Amino acid sequence: MEQGASVWVVLVVALVAANLPYLSSRILLVGPRRDPKAAGWRLLELFLLALATLAIGFGLEARLGQRAPQGWEFYAAALALFVTLGFPGFVWRYLRRSRSKVREFDDEEAA
């Protein structure tokens, strides 16, 4: 796999992984179902999936050649990018209103 394809693979993996904690109500994505799942579990899943994404990126980088050493700035930027990529899942989970709640709200106003 060439370098450009590796970058896209890591970005797609990061996009999917950053949104998984918000799309699943299972603990650590495979455990028992908790509805609603506590924010602490979602943050733990987000952190573990960020580590998994970094591991995939490091593996692809090592496969292409010598892995470059990274400073704290790289990890801070990678975490910020990962959290930003997870924003669509956050919006879907916490900020959208279901149609039934919208109807209930509209019905209360009409009365």
Side-chain angles (χ1 to χ4, degrees):
M1 184 182 313
E2 66 180 53
Q3 185 176 2
S6 295
V7 169
W8 283 107
V9 166
V10 171
L11 284 175
V12 168
V13 167
L15 179 66
V16 171
N19 287 291
L20 279 177
Y22 303 111
L23 301 178
S24 172
S25 61
R26 293 186 177 274
I27 294 191
L28 296 177
L29 304 174
V30 294
R33 195 178 286 272
R34 299 274 193 233
D35 205 21
K37 185 165 55 172
W41 282 112
R42 292 196 198 278
L43 289 174
L44 177 64
E45 289 173 356
L46 199 65
F47 179 71
L48 293 175
L49 288 167
L51 290 178
T53 302
L54 277 173
I56 290 170
F58 287 157
L60 288 173
E61 185 181 13
R63 187 172 178 206
L64 288 172
Q66 186 175 3
R67 198 170 85 70
Q70 307 295 342
W72 69 269
E73 297 92 347
F74 170 79
Y75 297 106
L79 183 63
L81 176 65
F82 195 79
V83 169
T84 303
L85 289 173
F87 186 69
F90 177 83
V91 168
W92 186 80
R93 171 62 66 182
Y94 294 111
L95 301 182
R96 86 180 157 91
R97 294 178 60 188
S98 69
R99 292 188 183 274
S100 63
K101 288 188 180 187
V102 171
R103 273 192 223 110
E104 290 172 6
F105 182 76
D106 291 341
D107 291 340
E108 289 174 4
E109 273 188 7

